[in-house]
Amino acid sequence: MIYTVVLIITLIGESIGQTIYKDNGDDNPINGLQFDIDIFHYRELYLEDKIKSCNQEVKSLRETDDILQFQLRCKNETGTYQERRVANAQYCFMKSSFTWNAGKTKCQSLKSYLLEINSEAEQNWLMDKVSTGKWWTGGIKHPQYDDWVWDHSGNDLTYRNWYPNQPNGGKSEECMLSEDGSWHDYPCDFRFKIICERGM
């Protein structure tokens, strides 16, 4: 009778993958079925943990790949890759001319967005790179309110650097341009250089 019970437990254990034995050297199964269930539960938890770890590694690799792609594409488009480590952001200065909407689309193709300037420190850093010329930013006039916001984030302009008497164009000038370091409102279908930004 005992032999029959042991044989049944052993067969069941083998059918689901493994039978656990004592560590003292004899070959008698110890509650083989229950141990089999426990070991498979442990393996399931272990695999779940490994999958989470692998997913994190994949995410990290993808982010690294995105950064490299941003650099390479900027260089291919005759822009210059820059990084401002303090703000943890990357910038690409595209020297070709775009309308505002075309510039937005170009930045999106680089996994980035039109420049958002959120502090005087950021403004000063950018002016060290592009102190002259006209560059589109991501600023737009809000479609419902008579105020300006950043297109990508939707945030209000917490920092402002408008040229005196700007903005002044009303509905005909609803996109923001940085010209020689100061902000101006301009018609969105004009063509200028762009600065793409990628937060890290």
Side-chain angles (χ1 to χ4, degrees), residues 105-117:
T105 300
K106 171 57 74 174
C107 289
Q108 288 175 336
S109 74
L110 298 172
K111 299 184 182 295
S112 61
Y113 48 88
L114 277 172
L115 171 68
E116 298 186 358
I117 305 173

Side-chain angles (χ1 to χ4, degrees), residues 116-120 122-123 150 153 155-156 158-159 197:
E116 298 186 358
I117 305 173
N118 295 303
S119 69
E120 184 178 3
E122 185 175 15
Q123 173 75 39
W150 295 116
S153 65
N155 293 335
D156 295 334
T158 54
Y159 166 75
E197 180 177 355

Side-chain angles (χ1 to χ4, degrees), residues 107-172:
C107 289
Q108 288 175 336
S109 74
L110 298 172
K111 299 184 182 295
S112 61
Y113 48 88
L114 277 172
L115 171 68
E116 298 186 358
I117 305 173
N118 295 303
S119 69
E120 184 178 3
E122 185 175 15
Q123 173 75 39
N124 292 338
W125 182 87
L126 287 162
M127 288 307 96
D128 286 341
K129 308 299 178 185
V130 286
S131 58
T132 59
K134 297 178 180 181
W135 303 79
W136 280 127
T137 75
I140 57 169
K141 194 169 184 181
H142 195 284
Q144 296 179 344
Y145 307 105
D146 189 24
D147 203 357
W148 290 75
V149 296
W150 295 116
D151 175 67
H152 173 72
S153 65
N155 293 335
D156 295 334
L157 309 184
T158 54
Y159 166 75
R160 295 170 184 254
N161 192 45
W162 293 105
Y163 190 76
N165 299 319
Q166 295 284 322
N168 64 357
K171 291 186 177 181
S172 64

Side-chain angles (χ1 to χ4, degrees), residues 88-99:
N88 224 15
Q90 297 176 314
Y91 302 84
C92 178
F93 301 89
M94 306 289 291
K95 297 177 182 178
S96 303
S97 294
F98 300 87
T99 65

Side-chain angles (χ1 to χ4, degrees), residues 31 37 45 48 66 84 86 110 119 171 183:
N31 297 328
I37 293 171
L45 294 176
E48 285 178 359
D66 285 346
R84 183 165 65 93
V86 175
L110 298 172
S119 69
K171 291 186 177 181
W183 301 355

